[in-house]
């Protein structure tokens, strides 16, 4: 009898334990919001519905995991791009650091303006000026040396206004979208107009995106092994510009599959979104609108927002988004918080 | 009693069943050779030891799964490249098929020689001649149309000597290495001098390598959406040559990580192997030597094998391999069978 009583008691306890476990799981499932930094609204709903549709094996729009590709622009879509792209800030800082070795720069533009801190002149820099700055700061060393320089800069540099590391200025709601997509079998790619080798330095740590999933602009690299120690030297020559029409080209070149979902924030992302939408089945196209001067920055010129020439969201892009059903994310209204460091 | 007997009988049967299962599993584990098409020898041993070293968490050379990258040349390393690369055969076939639409080709080289089947003239084709043939057969259409043409050709074309589809001329021992590496957490990439978009048509089906893991040569593609339907048009202009020094460049561009293992068969693979070996820890560099005229083809000119100018394994490459400890795979001696269709 004693044995039986213990047996019964054990069974009851076991049953209660199992029940408690089941209840806890059910409760956790009901309560776990994969996008906790998003306010409930059309943008959040668009993400949730899309993922449900794609992953539901009973849905006509079900896609097998190996074809679940999502592409994200970086500057202004995943992290802050104002007042200037982080990589441009890096280049300007490098000019300052390298200036003592280049006395001739003091009298030679665009370097002269950078060294003098002449913001008005810098605001007028042409593509050619920027290429000279990129050539002087991004080339003439091996890929490994370059990545070391970037890594060192990122560890120390502080972004204007926030006085925080650039890698802290990641949009928490977008990180949640990336994580949510990956949890649902997606491969998440960064498809950036910025430098591929620059972004690779921190992409894994910051976004959980490994180097092989970073598509970006690049310069020519040259293999050299005359010394017996092979290196890839960075040459002052553009290889590929991953912006505007270059984004679908880069996506096809590096991935060879059409994205199911694409995220951007400016006119340079329009072609990527068109390319994504032109595929069959359910697709998700989203654009971040920077309408939050309080928590980040406000710029357009769409919706009457200031025209700042960095990360342009034009009226034409807004019209296209509305016409084609691309979801526009209002930073102000759709995001409960912008950065992880906020309370 | 009856119940008890049935109970006992059921228990005994269950126990026997479980035991049989355990024994079968143990036996299967002891007997499962991941490389059954390889003869026991130094080459097979090199693969096995390398994988053991890299995956053993107690080893100083342990590498975490996300950094386990292996790169494979294709032509002559994964499939037959003689008497001519499959993609070149495709191009020549296309010239024949397109000839009726180009009456001017009858009097214009290199097309004239191809249409006339003038093998002596074709053997003398320069790089420039080949570029004209590539431009005429690989460009002027969208990527999707091109892949459709390749797919259709592959379904019908037969390789010389074997009278089988090109995709049947895959080296079974190399497929086993790819599968064995993947089973041990590796990402396997194809790094080919051949056309990236060509190889992507069959890489997943034939090698288990998805499009995003095919690094190859490419031409310029141009995004167009004037009609409202976005397309990527293939232009008659070289974008990237993934051969020789281009292989480390391509690996860095597309993967951004240095391979732990690299497999090739010709002088065009030397730089990839050097780049691989220049990393720290355990590395595996292997070269396939075609010394099997009976089952496939024999060519060098290393080891006194015939010099055929397609897939050159030079004396210098052999010397480098010996000096640097790269494993040379003798097709004749190391492979129990070459193709899956052999008995």
């Amino acid at each position: 009898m004693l044995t039986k009583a213990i047996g019964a008691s054990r069974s009851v306890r076991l049953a209660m334990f199992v029940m408690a476990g089941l209840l806890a799981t059910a409760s956790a499932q009901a309560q776990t919001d994969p996008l906790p930094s998003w306010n409930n609204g059309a943008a959040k709903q668009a993400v949730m519905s899309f993922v449900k549709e794609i992953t539901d094996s009973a849905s006509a729009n079900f896609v097998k995991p190996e074809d679940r590709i999502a592409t994200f622009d970086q500057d202004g879509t995943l992290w802050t791009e104002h007042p200037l792209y982080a990589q441009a800030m890096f280049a300007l800082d490098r000019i300052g650091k390298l200036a003592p070795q280049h006395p001739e720069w003091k009298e030679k533009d665009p370097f002269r303006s950078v060294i003098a801190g002449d913001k008005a002149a810098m605001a007028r820099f042409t593509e050619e000026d920027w290429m000279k700055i990129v050539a002087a700061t991004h080339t003439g060393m091996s890929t490994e040396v370059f990545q070391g320089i970037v890594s060192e800069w990122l560890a120390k540099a502080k972004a204007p206004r926030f006085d925080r590391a650039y890698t802290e200025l990641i949009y928490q709601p977008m990180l949640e979208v990336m994580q949510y997509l990956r949890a649902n079998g997606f491969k998440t790619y960064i498809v950036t107009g910025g430098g591929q080798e620059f972004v690779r330095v921190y992409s894994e740590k910051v976004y959980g995106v490994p180097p092989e999933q970073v598509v970006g602009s690049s310069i020519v690299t040259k293999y050299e092994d005359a010394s017996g120690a092979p290196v890839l030297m960075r040459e002052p020559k553009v290889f590929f510009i991953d912006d505007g029409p270059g984004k679908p080209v880069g996506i096809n070149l590096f991935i060879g599959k059409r994205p199911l979902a694409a995220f951007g924030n400016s006119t340079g992302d329009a072609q990527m979104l068109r390319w994504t939408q032109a595929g069959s089945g359910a697709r998700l196209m989203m654009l971040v609108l920077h309408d939050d001067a309080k928590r980040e920055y406000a710029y357009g010129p769409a919706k009457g927002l200031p025209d700042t020439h960095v990360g342009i969201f034009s009226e034409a892009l807004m019209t296209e988004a509305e016409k084609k059903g691309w979801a526009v994310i209002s930073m102000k209204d759709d995001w409960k918080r912008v950065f992880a460091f906020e309370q």
Side-chain angles (χ1 to χ4, degrees), chain A residues 51 53 58 65 74 84 90 107 110 112 130-131 135 155 168 186 214 234 247 252 310 313 336 343:
Chain A
V51 170
E53 185 80 5
Q74 184 192 220
L84 196 57
F90 161 76
E107 285 150 44
R112 190 198 57 75
W130 277 110
M131 269 316 300
E168 285 185 82
F186 276 79
V214 176
R234 295 172 58 83
K247 291 206 174 189
N252 186 64
V310 172
F313 196 134
K336 208 172 280 180
Q343 278 313 308

Side-chain angles (χ1 to χ4, degrees), chain A residues 217-275:
Chain A
S217 297
S218 53
I219 54 161
V220 170
T221 60
K222 194 178 167 198
Y223 175 83
E224 290 179 5
D225 63 12
S227 68
V231 286
L232 290 171
M233 292 300 293
R234 295 172 58 83
E235 309 254 298
K237 195 179 165 193
V238 171
F239 179 68
F240 179 61
I241 299 292
D242 189 61
D243 197 31
K247 291 206 174 189
V249 170
I251 287 168
N252 186 64
L253 184 69
F254 285 85
I255 314 176
K257 291 172 180 169
R258 195 189 296 260
L260 295 181
F263 302 79
N265 77 300
S266 76
T267 48
D269 300 314
Q271 291 88 345
M272 173 167 76
L273 270 62
R274 289 178 204 151
W275 181 245

Side-chain angles (χ1 to χ4, degrees), chain A residues 76-144:
Chain A
T77 298
L78 294 179
W79 75 348
T80 295
E81 64 185 349
H82 266 226
L84 196 57
Y85 308 112
Q87 194 178 356
M89 297 298 258
F90 161 76
L92 298 179
D93 280 0
R94 283 298 291 169
I95 293 290
K97 196 151 192 174
L98 294 170
Q101 299 160 45
H102 296 273
E104 76 280 10
W105 283 357
K106 273 186 201 147
E107 285 150 44
K108 205 165 116 186
D109 259 322
F111 308 105
R112 190 198 57 75
S113 305
V114 178
I115 294 165
D118 184 344
K119 289 192 180 178
M122 283 157 67
R124 288 190 305 268
F125 276 174
T126 61
E127 279 293 312
E128 201 190 331
D129 290 327
W130 277 110
M131 269 316 300
K132 283 180 190 164
I133 290 168
V134 166
T137 56
H138 285 61
T139 76
M141 72 288 275
S142 72
T143 52
E144 278 163 342

